[in-house]
């Protein structure tokens, strides 16, 4: 377990240091030794009592956004307590600190704003980004950076998008135990084209439209260079960039620095894990399946690319593997004759007559799996689900769009529309439900099964790059944690309550690939699991005196 370096501050300063504050849990000895006597009420509480008090208050609040605000305030004053609350109540709290509530929190960011967290770097800061990053008081190990242009399925939220890097980094700690002191959320404020925000007096960002072209690229480049100069070993995760920037930035930097794009690669890994689980139920191999995607953006092409990589690893020819994946975008089926297709869609532009809509494409192609990632709610209609059920004994139906309002269908609709036969995964949480006398437990294909473990593994081995092979290893590791009992109740992922163990195993798998490929800067210890565990932050209080 990690211990925090540096001297412990005294008195009020300590109470205002969220990384070290323990509030009323400071012991009698600590109160004398650290100048806290009189600054706290006399009774010493345990962390368990503090946790119970917080939960009692939070559970009285009905509105999820107000719960989010309460959790953010706790995060700002006592990180250990915050992470203990999250870790021990992960099913309850994750939807509050991440999707779906974080989507609303971004939309309302300026209105609920209390304290800054992370760093804002704006287009006007060109030429002094390194100087700005030096204002960060700690040594960052992981940066999650957004430009706020494609927040979940909610579009351009400008600087309000900061809710996403903050939320993602909380999940690094909650799900994998990455030390919160290593986590730096960053928003690149390139402006916003969201007129509602520009007219909102409480909006936190620059009052200007988005910059594009060379000015945009130069700021991103300066930020990347500066981040690597100020924090030499830092991992940089790109998050919620619009797809016209996401793919090219990933291509530009993936072989030069330690970086990944979670919307493309993390999504791919969790979705492939879900598919591998579904195949266990069906008793088939990837090459027996045909995948039809609704959506052809970051998530869809990322998933398709990793499915292809997985098939290739099983001995399937790459060109043949690509023919198992078909995409439908806003203009219909992606086919070879279409002009002006974005580069990431081209590998999946197969020979076929044009087809205008998803249902027609489904009937023409007869897929075994449909994967919804277009952020258009309700698009897996009863007709779509019935067609899948007519074609397949066990149709694979993944409704991955976020937040819940954008989901292609609900879990209930998926089961009802397929006579309970769907192998279902979702992007937003849905409660267990009864169908045909059985309790079905749909589980979220949540990226937080993947990226925290990948980050922890990368830290533990000092990864110099993060590769698709690591994400494929993570997918196999996650799928291997799904038990027959999970599958029997319709769950394609393990329970979130196991997330720490899942992440630790993924971290080991990722580090293993890094060592095999010569992409690890730290020497390999005898026991990789112990090496990973040594990096894990424990939210239980430690003594200072
Ligand atoms: P994106 O903007 O890169 O892609 C969206 C795609 O949908 C584009 O190809 C667009 O052409 C297509 N599209 C839009 N309207 C359409 C329509 N009416 N019919 C068919 N296609 C249409 O976005 P993305 O990063 O790929 O994310 C898409 C959705 O998936 C979002 O809601 C996101 O939150 C969700 N997502 C979920 C997970 C998860 O559950 N693990 C992970 C990543 C993304």
């Amino acid at each position: 377990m990690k211990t925090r370096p540096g001297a412990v501050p005294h008195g009020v300063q300590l109470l205002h240091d969220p990384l070290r504050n323990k509030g009323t849990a400071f012991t009698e000895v600590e109160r004398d030794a650290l100048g806290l006597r009189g600054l706290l009420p006399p009774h010493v509480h345990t962390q368990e009592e503090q946790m119970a008090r917080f939960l009692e208050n939070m559970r009285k609040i009905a509105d999820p956004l107000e719960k989010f605000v309460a959790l953010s305030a706790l995060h700002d004053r006592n990180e250990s307590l915050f992470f203990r609350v999250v870790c021990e109540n992960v099913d309850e709290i994750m939807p509050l600190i991440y999707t779906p509530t974080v989507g609303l929190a971004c939309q309302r960011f300026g209105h609920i704003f209390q304290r800054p967290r992370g760093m804002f770097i704006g287009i006007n800061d060109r030429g002094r980004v390194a100087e700005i990053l030096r204002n960060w008081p700690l040594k960052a190990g992981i940066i999650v950076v957004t430009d706020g242009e494609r927040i979940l399925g909610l579009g351009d939220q400008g600087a309000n998008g900061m809710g996403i890097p903050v939320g993602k980094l909380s999940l690094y700690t909650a799900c994998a135990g990455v030390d919160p002191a290593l986590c730096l959320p960053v928003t690149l404020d390139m402006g916003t084209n969201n007129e509602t925000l520009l007219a909102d007096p409480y909006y936190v960002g620059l009052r200007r439209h988005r910059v594009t072209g060379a000015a945009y690229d130069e700021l991103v480049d300066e930020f990347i260079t500066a981040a690597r100069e100020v924090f030499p070993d830092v991992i940089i995760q790109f998050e919620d960039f619009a797809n016209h920037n996401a793919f090219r930035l990933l291509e530009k930097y993936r072989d030069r620095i330690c970086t990944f794009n979670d919307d493309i690669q993390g999504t791919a890994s969790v979705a492939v894990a879900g598919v591998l689980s579904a195949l266990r139920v069906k008793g088939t191999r990837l090459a027996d399946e045909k995948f039809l995607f609704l959506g052809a953006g970051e998530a869809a092409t990322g998933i398709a690319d990793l499915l292809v990589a997985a098939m290739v690893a099983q001995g399937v020819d790459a060109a043949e593997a690509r023919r198992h994946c078909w995409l439908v975008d806003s203009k219909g089926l992606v086919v070879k004759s279409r002009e002006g297709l974005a580069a990431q869609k081209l590998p999946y532009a197969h020979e076929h007559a044009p087809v205008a809509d998803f249902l027609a494409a489904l009937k023409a192609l007869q897929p075994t799996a449909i994967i919804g990632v277009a952020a258009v709610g309700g698009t897996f209609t009863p007709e779509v689900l019935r067609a899948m059920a007519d074609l397949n004994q066990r149709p694979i139906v993944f409704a991955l769009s976020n937040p819940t309002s954008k989901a292609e269908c609900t879990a209930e609709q998926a089961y009802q529309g397929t006579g309970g036969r769907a192998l279902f995964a979702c992007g937003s949480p849905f409660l267990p439900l009864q169908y045909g006398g059985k309790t079905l437990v749909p589980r979220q294909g949540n990226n937080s099964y993947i990226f925290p473990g990948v980050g922890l593994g990368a830290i533990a081995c000092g990864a110099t790059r993060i590769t698709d092979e690591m994400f494929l290893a993570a997918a196999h590791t996650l799928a291997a944690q799904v038990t027959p009992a999970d599958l029997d109740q319709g769950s394609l992922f393990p329970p979130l309550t196991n997330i720490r163990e899942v992440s630790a195993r993924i971290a080991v798998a990722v580090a293993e690939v890094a060592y095999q490929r010569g992409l690890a800067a730290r020497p390999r210890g005898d026991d990789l699991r112990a090496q990973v565990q040594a990096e894990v932050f424990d939210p239980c209080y430690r003594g200072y005196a």
Side-chain angles (χ1 to χ4, degrees), residues 150 152-153 241-243 247 262-263 267 270 294-300 328-331 345 372-376 379 400-403 406 408 426-428 445-447:
R150 197 242 58 195
L152 305 170
F241 283 69
N243 67 32
F247 288 105
D262 187 54
D263 306 303
T267 303
V270 74
L294 178 61
E298 298 170 47
V328 172
D329 66 11
S330 53
K331 298 192 180 115
K345 300 182 192 178
V373 273
V376 187
T379 36
L400 296 183
S401 288
N402 275 323
K406 306 285 181 186
E408 286 73 18
C426 38
S428 295
N446 194 320
N447 293 33

mmCIF file of all heavy atoms in Angstrom, residues 150 152-153 241-243 247 262-263 267 270 294-300 328-331 345 372-376 379 400-403 406 408 426-428 445-447, ligand 1:
data_model
loop_
_atom_site.group_PDB
_atom_site.id
_atom_site.type_symbol
_atom_site.label_atom_id
_atom_site.label_comp_id
_atom_site.label_asym_id
_atom_site.label_seq_id
_atom_site.Cartn_x
_atom_site.Cartn_y
_atom_site.Cartn_z
ATOM 1 N N ARG A 150 -17.656 16.538 -26.908
ATOM 2 C CA ARG A 150 -18.652 15.460 -27.054
ATOM 3 C C ARG A 150 -18.796 14.776 -25.705
ATOM 4 O O ARG A 150 -18.211 13.725 -25.453
ATOM 5 C CB ARG A 150 -18.220 14.475 -28.152
ATOM 6 C CG ARG A 150 -19.356 13.598 -28.653
ATOM 7 C CD ARG A 150 -19.101 12.119 -28.389
ATOM 8 N NE ARG A 150 -18.904 11.850 -26.974
ATOM 9 C CZ ARG A 150 -18.396 10.736 -26.470
ATOM 10 N NH1 ARG A 150 -17.973 9.786 -27.248
ATOM 11 N NH2 ARG A 150 -18.265 10.547 -25.162
ATOM 12 N N LEU A 152 -20.366 12.611 -23.124
ATOM 13 C CA LEU A 152 -21.277 11.451 -23.220
ATOM 14 C C LEU A 152 -22.020 11.579 -24.550
ATOM 15 O O LEU A 152 -21.418 11.832 -25.570
ATOM 16 C CB LEU A 152 -22.217 11.402 -22.005
ATOM 17 C CG LEU A 152 -21.537 11.407 -20.626
ATOM 18 C CD1 LEU A 152 -22.541 11.599 -19.511
ATOM 19 C CD2 LEU A 152 -20.737 10.126 -20.408
ATOM 20 N N GLY A 153 -23.340 11.394 -24.532
ATOM 21 C CA GLY A 153 -24.097 11.620 -25.773
ATOM 22 C C GLY A 153 -24.739 12.996 -25.786
ATOM 23 O O GLY A 153 -25.723 13.216 -26.492
ATOM 24 N N PHE A 241 -13.567 13.796 -26.549
ATOM 25 C CA PHE A 241 -13.298 14.672 -27.699
ATOM 26 C C PHE A 241 -14.261 14.267 -28.817
ATOM 27 O O PHE A 241 -14.605 13.092 -28.945
ATOM 28 C CB PHE A 241 -11.851 14.502 -28.196
ATOM 29 C CG PHE A 241 -10.819 15.181 -27.345
ATOM 30 C CD1 PHE A 241 -10.547 14.714 -26.066
ATOM 31 C CD2 PHE A 241 -10.128 16.289 -27.806
ATOM 32 C CE1 PHE A 241 -9.605 15.348 -25.263
ATOM 33 C CE2 PHE A 241 -9.185 16.933 -27.014
ATOM 34 C CZ PHE A 241 -8.926 16.462 -25.738
ATOM 35 N N ALA A 242 -14.691 15.227 -29.622
ATOM 36 C CA ALA A 242 -15.545 14.889 -30.767
ATOM 37 C C ALA A 242 -14.749 14.025 -31.734
ATOM 38 O O ALA A 242 -13.516 14.122 -31.806
ATOM 39 C CB ALA A 242 -16.014 16.163 -31.457
ATOM 40 N N ASN A 243 -15.462 13.193 -32.502
ATOM 41 C CA ASN A 243 -14.692 12.181 -33.238
ATOM 42 C C ASN A 243 -13.811 12.752 -34.343
ATOM 43 O O ASN A 243 -12.829 12.134 -34.715
ATOM 44 C CB ASN A 243 -15.555 10.994 -33.670
ATOM 45 C CG ASN A 243 -16.582 11.325 -34.703
ATOM 46 O OD1 ASN A 243 -16.353 12.197 -35.530
ATOM 47 N ND2 ASN A 243 -17.704 10.636 -34.664
ATOM 48 N N PHE A 247 -9.964 10.645 -33.238
ATOM 49 C CA PHE A 247 -9.197 9.644 -33.987
ATOM 50 C C PHE A 247 -7.831 10.186 -34.404
ATOM 51 O O PHE A 247 -6.815 9.513 -34.285
ATOM 52 C CB PHE A 247 -9.978 9.196 -35.236
ATOM 53 C CG PHE A 247 -11.161 8.333 -34.891
ATOM 54 C CD1 PHE A 247 -12.452 8.838 -34.953
ATOM 55 C CD2 PHE A 247 -10.989 7.016 -34.502
ATOM 56 C CE1 PHE A 247 -13.543 8.055 -34.635
ATOM 57 C CE2 PHE A 247 -12.080 6.215 -34.184
ATOM 58 C CZ PHE A 247 -13.359 6.743 -34.251
ATOM 59 N N ASP A 262 -10.090 6.651 -24.101
ATOM 60 C CA ASP A 262 -10.998 5.703 -23.462
ATOM 61 C C ASP A 262 -12.282 5.490 -24.265
ATOM 62 O O ASP A 262 -12.833 4.393 -24.272
ATOM 63 C CB ASP A 262 -11.347 6.182 -22.053
ATOM 64 C CG ASP A 262 -12.136 5.133 -21.312
ATOM 65 O OD1 ASP A 262 -11.650 3.990 -21.235
ATOM 66 O OD2 ASP A 262 -13.255 5.429 -20.860
ATOM 67 N N ASP A 263 -12.737 6.531 -24.945
ATOM 68 C CA ASP A 263 -13.991 6.394 -25.711
ATOM 69 C C ASP A 263 -13.819 5.404 -26.857
ATOM 70 O O ASP A 263 -14.771 4.748 -27.264
ATOM 71 C CB ASP A 263 -14.422 7.750 -26.278
ATOM 72 C CG ASP A 263 -14.517 8.781 -25.178
ATOM 73 O OD1 ASP A 263 -15.259 8.547 -24.225
ATOM 74 O OD2 ASP A 263 -13.804 9.800 -25.240
ATOM 75 N N THR A 267 -13.781 1.618 -24.379
ATOM 76 C CA THR A 267 -15.097 1.119 -24.773
ATOM 77 C C THR A 267 -14.963 -0.199 -25.509
ATOM 78 O O THR A 267 -15.721 -1.149 -25.275
ATOM 79 C CB THR A 267 -15.781 2.139 -25.719
ATOM 80 O OG1 THR A 267 -15.845 3.383 -25.052
ATOM 81 C CG2 THR A 267 -17.163 1.691 -26.109
ATOM 82 N N VAL A 270 -14.256 -3.138 -23.066
ATOM 83 C CA VAL A 270 -15.371 -3.618 -22.246
ATOM 84 C C VAL A 270 -16.420 -4.288 -23.132
ATOM 85 O O VAL A 270 -17.003 -5.320 -22.758
ATOM 86 C CB VAL A 270 -15.953 -2.490 -21.359
ATOM 87 C CG1 VAL A 270 -16.782 -1.489 -22.125
ATOM 88 C CG2 VAL A 270 -16.788 -3.079 -20.226
ATOM 89 N N LEU A 294 -25.103 0.194 -34.718
ATOM 90 C CA LEU A 294 -25.864 1.425 -34.966
ATOM 91 C C LEU A 294 -24.994 2.552 -34.430
ATOM 92 O O LEU A 294 -24.820 2.698 -33.210
ATOM 93 C CB LEU A 294 -27.219 1.390 -34.256
ATOM 94 C CG LEU A 294 -28.042 2.671 -34.436
ATOM 95 C CD1 LEU A 294 -28.355 2.939 -35.894
ATOM 96 C CD2 LEU A 294 -29.343 2.590 -33.653
ATOM 97 N N GLY A 295 -24.419 3.325 -35.351
ATOM 98 C CA GLY A 295 -23.390 4.299 -34.982
ATOM 99 C C GLY A 295 -22.090 3.874 -35.638
ATOM 100 O O GLY A 295 -21.850 2.664 -35.823
ATOM 101 N N ALA A 296 -21.297 4.855 -36.034
ATOM 102 C CA ALA A 296 -20.034 4.532 -36.702
ATOM 103 C C ALA A 296 -18.960 5.492 -36.218
ATOM 104 O O ALA A 296 -18.099 5.929 -36.975
ATOM 105 C CB ALA A 296 -20.214 4.624 -38.215
ATOM 106 N N GLY A 297 -19.029 5.855 -34.936
ATOM 107 C CA GLY A 297 -18.102 6.824 -34.374
ATOM 108 C C GLY A 297 -17.009 6.152 -33.562
ATOM 109 O O GLY A 297 -16.552 5.045 -33.889
ATOM 110 N N GLU A 298 -16.608 6.837 -32.486
ATOM 111 C CA GLU A 298 -15.475 6.373 -31.693
ATOM 112 C C GLU A 298 -15.738 4.997 -31.093
ATOM 113 O O GLU A 298 -14.910 4.094 -31.151
ATOM 114 C CB GLU A 298 -15.182 7.393 -30.585
ATOM 115 C CG GLU A 298 -14.789 8.731 -31.151
ATOM 116 C CD GLU A 298 -14.722 9.816 -30.074
ATOM 117 O OE1 GLU A 298 -14.119 9.574 -29.018
ATOM 118 O OE2 GLU A 298 -15.268 10.906 -30.315
ATOM 119 N N ALA A 299 -16.930 4.871 -30.495
ATOM 120 C CA ALA A 299 -17.243 3.602 -29.833
ATOM 121 C C ALA A 299 -17.352 2.491 -30.873
ATOM 122 O O ALA A 299 -16.715 1.432 -30.729
ATOM 123 C CB ALA A 299 -18.536 3.748 -29.043
ATOM 124 N N ALA A 300 -18.133 2.716 -31.930
ATOM 125 C CA ALA A 300 -18.385 1.647 -32.899
ATOM 126 C C ALA A 300 -17.105 1.172 -33.566
ATOM 127 O O ALA A 300 -16.813 -0.032 -33.591
ATOM 128 C CB ALA A 300 -19.377 2.135 -33.955
ATOM 129 N N VAL A 328 -23.821 1.104 -39.360
ATOM 130 C CA VAL A 328 -24.863 1.997 -39.874
ATOM 131 C C VAL A 328 -24.639 3.355 -39.203
ATOM 132 O O VAL A 328 -24.539 3.424 -37.972
ATOM 133 C CB VAL A 328 -26.280 1.487 -39.519
ATOM 134 C CG1 VAL A 328 -27.343 2.521 -39.885
ATOM 135 C CG2 VAL A 328 -26.570 0.172 -40.235
ATOM 136 N N ASP A 329 -24.494 4.401 -40.012
ATOM 137 C CA ASP A 329 -24.382 5.744 -39.418
ATOM 138 C C ASP A 329 -25.606 6.574 -39.773
ATOM 139 O O ASP A 329 -26.613 6.025 -40.251
ATOM 140 C CB ASP A 329 -23.060 6.416 -39.813
ATOM 141 C CG ASP A 329 -22.977 6.705 -41.307
ATOM 142 O OD1 ASP A 329 -24.009 6.588 -42.000
ATOM 143 O OD2 ASP A 329 -21.880 7.057 -41.770
ATOM 144 N N SER A 330 -25.525 7.876 -39.573
ATOM 145 C CA SER A 330 -26.713 8.716 -39.780
ATOM 146 C C SER A 330 -27.161 8.727 -41.245
ATOM 147 O O SER A 330 -28.279 9.113 -41.541
ATOM 148 C CB SER A 330 -26.441 10.142 -39.296
ATOM 149 O OG SER A 330 -25.264 10.620 -39.893
ATOM 150 N N LYS A 331 -26.286 8.267 -42.143
ATOM 151 C CA LYS A 331 -26.664 8.249 -43.573
ATOM 152 C C LYS A 331 -27.023 6.854 -44.064
ATOM 153 O O LYS A 331 -27.189 6.631 -45.254
ATOM 154 C CB LYS A 331 -25.513 8.811 -44.406
ATOM 155 C CG LYS A 331 -25.193 10.264 -44.049
ATOM 156 C CD LYS A 331 -24.267 10.884 -45.072
ATOM 157 C CE LYS A 331 -23.963 12.313 -44.703
ATOM 158 N NZ LYS A 331 -22.570 12.538 -44.374
ATOM 159 N N LYS A 345 -13.965 4.580 -40.815
ATOM 160 C CA LYS A 345 -15.079 3.747 -41.296
ATOM 161 C C LYS A 345 -14.665 2.881 -42.490
ATOM 162 O O LYS A 345 -15.319 1.875 -42.784
ATOM 163 C CB LYS A 345 -16.266 4.633 -41.720
ATOM 164 C CG LYS A 345 -16.820 5.504 -40.614
ATOM 165 C CD LYS A 345 -18.029 6.309 -41.101
ATOM 166 C CE LYS A 345 -18.401 7.387 -40.088
ATOM 167 N NZ LYS A 345 -19.509 8.231 -40.504
ATOM 168 N N GLY A 372 -25.556 -0.862 -30.163
ATOM 169 C CA GLY A 372 -26.044 0.500 -30.311
ATOM 170 C C GLY A 372 -25.105 1.495 -29.661
ATOM 171 O O GLY A 372 -24.910 1.477 -28.434
ATOM 172 N N VAL A 373 -24.504 2.355 -30.473
ATOM 173 C CA VAL A 373 -23.584 3.395 -29.990
ATOM 174 C C VAL A 373 -23.735 4.649 -30.844
ATOM 175 O O VAL A 373 -22.747 5.233 -31.286
ATOM 176 C CB VAL A 373 -22.105 2.902 -29.999
ATOM 177 C CG1 VAL A 373 -21.745 2.190 -28.718
ATOM 178 C CG2 VAL A 373 -21.817 2.021 -31.202
ATOM 179 N N ALA A 374 -24.977 5.080 -31.070
ATOM 180 C CA ALA A 374 -25.218 6.269 -31.895
ATOM 181 C C ALA A 374 -25.737 7.430 -31.069
ATOM 182 O O ALA A 374 -25.925 8.525 -31.592
ATOM 183 C CB ALA A 374 -26.209 5.954 -33.009
ATOM 184 N N ALA A 375 -25.982 7.201 -29.790
ATOM 185 C CA ALA A 375 -26.516 8.249 -28.896
ATOM 186 C C ALA A 375 -27.854 8.800 -29.400
ATOM 187 O O ALA A 375 -28.109 9.989 -29.306
ATOM 188 C CB ALA A 375 -25.498 9.374 -28.710
ATOM 189 N N VAL A 376 -28.676 7.907 -29.949
ATOM 190 C CA VAL A 376 -30.034 8.302 -30.332
ATOM 191 C C VAL A 376 -30.991 7.360 -29.585
ATOM 192 O O VAL A 376 -31.032 6.159 -29.871
ATOM 193 C CB VAL A 376 -30.264 8.193 -31.857
ATOM 194 C CG1 VAL A 376 -31.633 8.779 -32.218
ATOM 195 C CG2 VAL A 376 -29.163 8.912 -32.633
ATOM 196 N N THR A 379 -33.774 3.691 -30.388
ATOM 197 C CA THR A 379 -33.628 3.210 -31.777
ATOM 198 C C THR A 379 -33.699 1.689 -31.901
ATOM 199 O O THR A 379 -33.870 1.188 -33.011
ATOM 200 C CB THR A 379 -32.292 3.705 -32.391
ATOM 201 O OG1 THR A 379 -31.313 3.699 -31.361
ATOM 202 C CG2 THR A 379 -32.426 5.107 -32.939
ATOM 203 N N LEU A 400 -25.613 0.543 -25.793
ATOM 204 C CA LEU A 400 -24.525 1.137 -25.002
ATOM 205 C C LEU A 400 -24.579 2.659 -24.880
ATOM 206 O O LEU A 400 -23.785 3.253 -24.149
ATOM 207 C CB LEU A 400 -23.169 0.730 -25.598
ATOM 208 C CG LEU A 400 -22.841 -0.771 -25.552
ATOM 209 C CD1 LEU A 400 -21.445 -1.020 -26.117
ATOM 210 C CD2 LEU A 400 -22.928 -1.318 -24.139
ATOM 211 N N SER A 401 -25.494 3.324 -25.613
ATOM 212 C CA SER A 401 -25.444 4.788 -25.578
ATOM 213 C C SER A 401 -25.823 5.354 -24.208
ATOM 214 O O SER A 401 -26.646 4.802 -23.494
ATOM 215 C CB SER A 401 -26.349 5.378 -26.666
ATOM 216 O OG SER A 401 -25.758 5.159 -27.921
ATOM 217 N N ASN A 402 -25.198 6.464 -23.909
ATOM 218 C CA ASN A 402 -25.328 7.165 -22.621
ATOM 219 C C ASN A 402 -25.805 8.575 -22.845
ATOM 220 O O ASN A 402 -25.545 9.126 -23.917
ATOM 221 C CB ASN A 402 -23.939 7.278 -21.985
ATOM 222 C CG ASN A 402 -23.575 6.055 -21.210
ATOM 223 O OD1 ASN A 402 -24.402 5.456 -20.571
ATOM 224 N ND2 ASN A 402 -22.319 5.704 -21.291
ATOM 225 N N PRO A 403 -26.338 9.285 -21.858
ATOM 226 C CA PRO A 403 -26.872 8.705 -20.621
ATOM 227 C C PRO A 403 -28.165 7.944 -20.896
ATOM 228 O O PRO A 403 -28.480 7.683 -22.060
ATOM 229 C CB PRO A 403 -27.111 9.942 -19.754
ATOM 230 C CG PRO A 403 -27.299 11.068 -20.732
ATOM 231 C CD PRO A 403 -26.505 10.733 -21.942
ATOM 232 N N LYS A 406 -30.478 8.367 -23.796
ATOM 233 C CA LYS A 406 -29.977 8.061 -25.142
ATOM 234 C C LYS A 406 -29.902 6.560 -25.400
ATOM 235 O O LYS A 406 -29.500 6.137 -26.495
ATOM 236 C CB LYS A 406 -28.571 8.659 -25.336
ATOM 237 C CG LYS A 406 -28.469 10.136 -25.035
ATOM 238 C CD LYS A 406 -29.072 10.975 -26.133
ATOM 239 C CE LYS A 406 -28.930 12.450 -25.798
ATOM 240 N NZ LYS A 406 -29.606 13.318 -26.746
ATOM 241 N N GLU A 408 -30.487 2.891 -26.525
ATOM 242 C CA GLU A 408 -31.233 2.397 -27.685
ATOM 243 C C GLU A 408 -32.502 1.682 -27.239
ATOM 244 O O GLU A 408 -33.507 1.672 -27.946
ATOM 245 C CB GLU A 408 -30.360 1.431 -28.504
ATOM 246 C CG GLU A 408 -29.273 2.093 -29.319
ATOM 247 C CD GLU A 408 -28.104 2.627 -28.509
ATOM 248 O OE1 GLU A 408 -27.939 2.208 -27.335
ATOM 249 O OE2 GLU A 408 -27.357 3.469 -29.038
ATOM 250 N N CYS A 426 -25.803 -2.990 -21.330
ATOM 251 C CA CYS A 426 -26.285 -1.618 -21.460
ATOM 252 C C CYS A 426 -25.163 -0.636 -21.126
ATOM 253 O O CYS A 426 -24.165 -0.995 -20.495
ATOM 254 C CB CYS A 426 -27.475 -1.395 -20.522
ATOM 255 S SG CYS A 426 -27.327 -2.228 -18.939
ATOM 256 N N GLY A 427 -25.362 0.618 -21.556
ATOM 257 C CA GLY A 427 -24.384 1.658 -21.253
ATOM 258 C C GLY A 427 -24.719 2.395 -19.972
ATOM 259 O O GLY A 427 -23.849 2.976 -19.338
ATOM 260 N N SER A 428 -25.991 2.374 -19.608
ATOM 261 C CA SER A 428 -26.436 3.013 -18.361
ATOM 262 C C SER A 428 -27.017 1.933 -17.455
ATOM 263 O O SER A 428 -27.442 0.886 -17.934
ATOM 264 C CB SER A 428 -27.518 4.052 -18.660
ATOM 265 O OG SER A 428 -26.974 5.094 -19.432
ATOM 266 N N GLY A 445 -22.112 -2.377 -19.473
ATOM 267 C CA GLY A 445 -20.801 -2.486 -20.142
ATOM 268 C C GLY A 445 -20.046 -1.201 -19.859
ATOM 269 O O GLY A 445 -19.861 -0.361 -20.717
ATOM 270 N N ASN A 446 -19.627 -1.088 -18.619
ATOM 271 C CA ASN A 446 -19.111 0.171 -18.110
ATOM 272 C C ASN A 446 -17.591 0.224 -18.327
ATOM 273 O O ASN A 446 -16.875 -0.691 -17.897
ATOM 274 C CB ASN A 446 -19.444 0.198 -16.608
ATOM 275 C CG ASN A 446 -19.281 1.542 -16.001
ATOM 276 O OD1 ASN A 446 -18.336 2.250 -16.332
ATOM 277 N ND2 ASN A 446 -20.188 1.891 -15.111
ATOM 278 N N ASN A 447 -17.106 1.296 -18.951
ATOM 279 C CA ASN A 447 -15.662 1.410 -19.184
ATOM 280 C C ASN A 447 -14.870 1.337 -17.885
ATOM 281 O O ASN A 447 -13.683 1.043 -17.902
ATOM 282 C CB ASN A 447 -15.319 2.730 -19.875
ATOM 283 C CG ASN A 447 -15.863 2.808 -21.272
ATOM 284 O OD1 ASN A 447 -16.925 2.251 -21.544
ATOM 285 N ND2 ASN A 447 -15.171 3.497 -22.160
HETATM 286 P P1 LIG B 1 -19.475 9.578 -31.817
HETATM 287 O O1 LIG B 1 -19.987 10.950 -31.927
HETATM 288 O O2 LIG B 1 -18.048 9.307 -32.144
HETATM 289 O O3 LIG B 1 -20.344 8.621 -32.790
HETATM 290 C C1 LIG B 1 -21.726 8.681 -32.933
HETATM 291 C C2 LIG B 1 -22.067 7.952 -34.229
HETATM 292 O O4 LIG B 1 -23.486 7.815 -34.308
HETATM 293 C C3 LIG B 1 -21.634 8.680 -35.496
HETATM 294 O O5 LIG B 1 -21.037 7.750 -36.364
HETATM 295 C C4 LIG B 1 -22.944 9.165 -36.113
HETATM 296 O O6 LIG B 1 -22.911 9.188 -37.537
HETATM 297 C C5 LIG B 1 -23.889 8.098 -35.628
HETATM 298 N N1 LIG B 1 -25.284 8.528 -35.635
HETATM 299 C C6 LIG B 1 -25.804 9.691 -35.198
HETATM 300 N N2 LIG B 1 -27.134 9.709 -35.414
HETATM 301 C C7 LIG B 1 -27.458 8.532 -35.987
HETATM 302 C C8 LIG B 1 -28.660 7.947 -36.428
HETATM 303 N N3 LIG B 1 -29.816 8.599 -36.325
HETATM 304 N N4 LIG B 1 -28.606 6.717 -36.962
HETATM 305 C C9 LIG B 1 -27.442 6.059 -37.065
HETATM 306 N N5 LIG B 1 -26.270 6.547 -36.648
HETATM 307 C C10 LIG B 1 -26.276 7.773 -36.128
HETATM 308 O O7 LIG B 1 -19.813 9.077 -30.371
HETATM 309 P P2 LIG B 1 -19.223 7.788 -29.605
HETATM 310 O O8 LIG B 1 -18.028 8.151 -28.820
HETATM 311 O O9 LIG B 1 -19.083 6.664 -30.565
HETATM 312 O O10 LIG B 1 -20.372 7.515 -28.546
HETATM 313 C C11 LIG B 1 -21.670 7.139 -28.969
HETATM 314 C C12 LIG B 1 -22.525 6.783 -27.755
HETATM 315 O O11 LIG B 1 -22.006 5.648 -27.091
HETATM 316 C C13 LIG B 1 -22.613 7.894 -26.697
HETATM 317 O O12 LIG B 1 -23.909 7.925 -26.173
HETATM 318 C C14 LIG B 1 -21.669 7.421 -25.641
HETATM 319 O O13 LIG B 1 -21.989 7.928 -24.361
HETATM 320 C C15 LIG B 1 -21.871 5.940 -25.715
HETATM 321 N N6 LIG B 1 -20.750 5.189 -25.164
HETATM 322 C C16 LIG B 1 -21.017 4.215 -24.251
HETATM 323 C C17 LIG B 1 -19.988 3.498 -23.704
HETATM 324 C C18 LIG B 1 -20.271 2.406 -22.711
HETATM 325 O O14 LIG B 1 -21.381 2.159 -22.392
HETATM 326 N N7 LIG B 1 -19.299 1.715 -22.212
HETATM 327 C C19 LIG B 1 -18.685 3.785 -24.061
HETATM 328 C C20 LIG B 1 -18.439 4.780 -25.010
HETATM 329 C C21 LIG B 1 -19.489 5.469 -25.561
#
